[in-house]
Amino acid sequence: MRRVSCLAVCGVALLVAIAGARGLDVAPSGQAPAPAAPPQPDQPVGRGQGGGRGRGAAPAPGGGGFGRGRSFDAEAIARAKPVFEEQCGFCHGNDARGRAGGPDLARSLVVLADTGGKDLSPYIRGGRPDRGMPAFPGLTDQQLTDIAEFLHERLEAARSRTATDTMASLVGDAKAGAAYFNGPGRCTTCHSITGDLAGIGAKYDPATLQGRIVNPRPGPGAGRGQATLPSPRSMRRVTVTVENGQTFSGTLDFVSEFAVTLIESSGTRRTFKREGDVPKVAITDPLQVHFDMLRTFRDKDMQDLTAYLWTLK
């Protein structure tokens, strides 16, 4: 009997040890077991706690997400807006959707590829002088990080728009737009509604039309998910005159204060090292008049012109 009792005690102790290792509650001998805790709902599967599909964390309560699990730092965005408007708004618009010669940053591949400002910060600080974007060396690391957060919020807002939102840009007066097109806008100097603009309202939605007005030389991907090849009419031409007087002309491929590259009509690519004014470089931009006009372009002019072009189907 003692041997049996000893074995029973050892068996109970072993069960208690196993239950403790598994985190189970075991009631003392003689007491009813505690009621089981109600089952918890399954946790959603995601890339961070709470099932968020953003960059590692679930959206904070009240965060500026758009239903995709990505939350945004509202305080960072509030700090970024006045800095962005002062430094970048003239070209890109206060909402980053494009304006006087600056592209719509909500469609920027640079913004799309960025993570936490790691790529955007050096890009903004160094600028792209060859593409008309100045450098901003005076911006602090915090300001650059805040601007990156603001641009990501703009990109997500654009991606989250429904199909009916494509009509949001159609708020102008088509008749006033026609008057501007044929009058003070001097658009007929280069364009014709029976020529290059024939049926343009059937080719683009209002948002894309407006984007092409403020950014007439779009880059890859500027056409809502598809590459947009630049028209030969919009290509910049360059003539390089070397020290012995010989000239080389072609389509401008790249230019900076250190080098210039052109592509001749034969397809030959030539690069010239630059030192000051040597060699002499003369660039002709067929869209320069367009960019000059955008500096005095009013929002109403843009809205009216968009509404008018939308009627050309």
Side-chain angles (χ1 to χ4, degrees):
M1 290 294 293
R2 288 184 179 180
R3 185 177 180 182
V4 173
S5 299
C6 182
L7 289 174
V9 171
C10 291
V12 172
L14 179 61
L15 289 174
V16 171
I18 293 174
R22 295 185 177 180
L24 302 177
D25 293 330
V26 179
S29 178
Q31 295 185 16
Q40 296 295 320
D42 293 336
Q43 294 297 321
V45 178
R47 296 183 183 179
Q49 295 181 348
R53 292 174 57 192
R55 297 179 180 175
F66 292 91
R68 297 174 184 262
R70 171 74 164 97
S71 62
F72 300 95
D73 187 337
E75 293 183 358
I77 293 172
R79 292 192 301 266
K81 283 184 176 180
V83 179
F84 184 89
E85 291 175 5
E86 178 181 356
Q87 302 289 340
C88 316
F90 176 78
C91 288
H92 297 290
N94 291 345
D95 61 352
R97 296 309 306 270
R99 189 159 164 66
D104 181 351
L105 297 181
R107 302 178 187 175
S108 169
L109 295 179
V110 178
V111 177
L112 183 63
D114 174 71
T115 302
K118 293 180 180 179
D119 298 319
L120 273 172
S121 293
Y123 189 93
I124 296 172
R125 178 168 281 155
R128 291 297 299 271
D130 57 306
R131 297 188 180 182
M133 176 182 169
F136 296 92
L139 294 178
T140 66
D141 291 343
Q142 183 64 63
Q143 288 174 323
L144 291 170
T145 301
D146 291 346
I147 289 174
E149 184 75 356
F150 168 66
L151 293 179
H152 280 293
E153 187 271 342
R154 293 286 79 208
L155 183 146
E156 188 67 21
R159 292 172 62 185
S160 301
R161 295 192 311 173
T162 62
T164 56
D165 286 336
T166 60
M167 304 299 292
S169 301
L170 203 61
V171 296
D173 182 340
K175 291 184 178 180
Y180 181 86
F181 183 92
N182 294 294
R186 302 178 60 191
C187 303
T188 55
T189 303
C190 300
H191 302 288
S192 168
I193 61 173
T194 59
D196 62 320
L197 298 183
I200 194 170
K203 297 178 182 177
Y204 304 105
D205 60 37
T208 305
L209 275 175
Q210 187 165 297
R212 295 297 297 269
I213 293 173
V214 300
N215 184 24
R217 184 184 287 116
R224 289 187 175 273
Q226 58 185 353
T228 303
L229 297 177
S231 166
R233 297 177 58 202
S234 69
M235 302 296 288
R236 291 181 294 177
R237 303 279 302 174
V238 61
T239 298
V240 178
T241 305
V242 296
E243 290 185 276
N244 64 6
Q246 186 178 4
T247 62
F248 299 87
S249 298
T251 301
L252 178 64
D253 184 60
F254 172 81
V255 63
S256 72
E257 60 181 314
F258 304 110
V260 58
T261 299
L262 60 84
I263 302 175
E264 295 179 324
S265 57
S266 63
T268 301
R269 183 186 300 270
R270 297 183 183 275
T271 297
F272 302 86
K273 181 180 179 181
R274 302 181 69 185
E275 294 184 4
D277 294 330
V278 179
K280 183 179 179 181
V281 177
I283 298 174
T284 302
D285 188 347
L287 296 180
Q288 188 58 50
V289 174
H290 205 289
F291 289 124
D292 291 343
M293 177 195 70
L294 291 178
R295 295 184 180 278
T296 59
F297 212 31
R298 300 178 303 168
D299 287 345
K300 185 179 186 308
D301 297 332
M302 177 176 60
Q303 294 163 357
D304 293 345
L305 192 54
T306 299
Y308 171 60
L309 295 177
W310 174 246
T311 68
L312 303 179
K313 300 181 179 180

